[in-house]
Amino acid sequence: MSEPNAITVDVVSDVVCPWCFIGQKRLDKAVAAVGGDVDVNIRWRPFQLDPTIPPQGKDRHEYMLAKFGSDDRIREIHARIEPLGEAEGISFAFDAIKVAPNTLGAHRLIRWAGAAGEAVQNRLVRRLFQLNFEEGANIGDHAVLTEAAREAGMDASVVAALLPTEADVEAVRTEIATASRMGITGVPCFLLEDKYAVMGAQDADTLADAIRQVAAAKARGELEKVG
C-alpha cells in the first residue's frame, strides 16, 4: 500500500512531441523540488499525434510541408520551440530529423520497459526523446529501438524478437483510445492519482504545486474532492 505522501503521475505523451520532451524535463525539476515531501511515482502512457503514418515512416520535410504549408512556417515553429528547449537543457536538432516515424513500436517498447520497473521506463523514455530530437535517429526503426532498450537496461534480444510481432499492439491502441475517451486531445497531459489533470508542458513550479496539493489532499483522505 502506498504511503500517504506518495502519489502516482501518469504522463500521457508521444515521443515525437517536442512539448512532451520539454514537459519531461520540467517534470524532473518538479519532482526534485518536492523530493523531501512527496514520493512521486511516474508512469508513461501512450498517445499518437499521428497514427496514420505508415510503419516505415515518412520523409519528415515533406510531412511537415504538408502539415504546415511552407518552409517559413516550419522554421517559425522550430524557432519558437528551440529556446524553450534550451532553457531545459535540450538541444533540439530539428534539421537532423529525416524521418517522421510511426511511434506505435516505441510505445510498445515503453510499455515493456514499464514491466521492468519505473527506473527502466524513465531511462528509456528519456533516451527515445534524445534519439529523436537531439540525434535525429529514426525511432520507428526496430534496430534503433532495440539499442535504446539495451541502453535502458532491458533484454535487447527479447525486444528484437518481439518488435516484428503483433505483441501488445492492441493493448497500446486500447490505452490510446482510453486517453481519447477521457478527453485528452493534446499532450503532454499529467494525470495525478487518476484524479487531477495538468494539461500541456506547464512550468516546473506549476507541476510541483499540483503534486504538493494532490499529495496533501490524499494524506487528508480528501482526494475525491480534487479536480
Side-chain angles (χ1 to χ4, degrees):
M1 183 178 293
S2 297
E3 294 298 324
N5 65 340
I7 73 165
T8 296
V9 178
D10 287 288
V11 188
V12 184
S13 78
D14 197 357
V15 283
V16 291
C17 166
W19 295 105
C20 292
F21 195 5
I22 291 170
Q24 176 257 302
K25 294 288 190 179
R26 292 176 176 174
L27 177 60
D28 281 353
K29 288 182 178 178
V31 170
V34 303
D37 306 316
V38 186
D39 182 13
V40 183
N41 303 302
I42 298 171
R43 298 184 300 199
W44 293 87
R45 301 300 190 188
F47 189 91
Q48 282 195 286
L49 292 177
D50 189 349
T52 70
I53 293 176
Q56 69 274 19
K58 290 184 175 181
D59 178 278
R60 184 176 186 273
H61 184 243
E62 293 179 3
Y63 177 75
M64 294 292 282
L65 273 179
K67 190 171 183 179
F68 296 110
S70 72
D71 283 323
D72 285 345
R73 177 67 177 137
I74 295 169
R75 280 191 292 269
E76 177 186 318
I77 292 167
H78 289 168
R80 183 161 56 95
I81 295 172
E82 285 166 351
L84 296 172
E86 188 175 348
E88 305 300 336
I90 300 169
S91 298
F92 280 115
F94 291 113
D95 289 343
I97 307 171
K98 303 306 179 186
V99 177
N102 184 298
T103 56
L104 184 61
H107 286 303
R108 292 163 64 212
L109 182 57
I110 292 167
R111 180 183 179 87
W112 301 333
E118 180 182 348
V120 174
Q121 191 181 52
N122 278 321
R123 282 197 299 271
L124 176 70
V125 170
R126 284 153 178 73
R127 185 63 184 131
L128 292 176
F129 278 133
Q130 291 171 346
L131 284 165
N132 183 66
F133 286 113
E134 298 186 318
E135 300 176 27
N138 176 8
I139 58 171
D141 183 275
H142 287 181
V144 172
L145 292 176
T146 300
E147 176 59 17
R150 185 193 65 76
E151 293 176 3
M154 300 173 69
D155 188 327
S157 62
V158 171
V159 169
L162 286 176
L163 280 171
T165 74
E166 293 294 302
D168 282 330
V169 167
E170 286 309 313
V172 169
R173 286 177 173 155
T174 297
E175 272 204 80
I176 293 170
T178 298
S180 179
R181 284 198 301 274
M182 291 171 65
I184 298 172
T185 58
V187 286
C189 176
F190 304 91
L191 298 173
L192 284 65
E193 286 290 308
D194 287 327
K195 295 285 186 181
Y196 185 82
V198 179
M199 301 295 297
Q202 301 292 334
D203 61 72
D205 288 344
T206 298
L207 287 170
D209 286 346
I211 289 169
R212 288 191 186 98
Q213 289 176 31
V214 172
K218 182 179 181 182
R220 294 191 301 268
E222 300 173 353
L223 197 57
E224 67 276 7
K225 298 179 184 179
V226 177

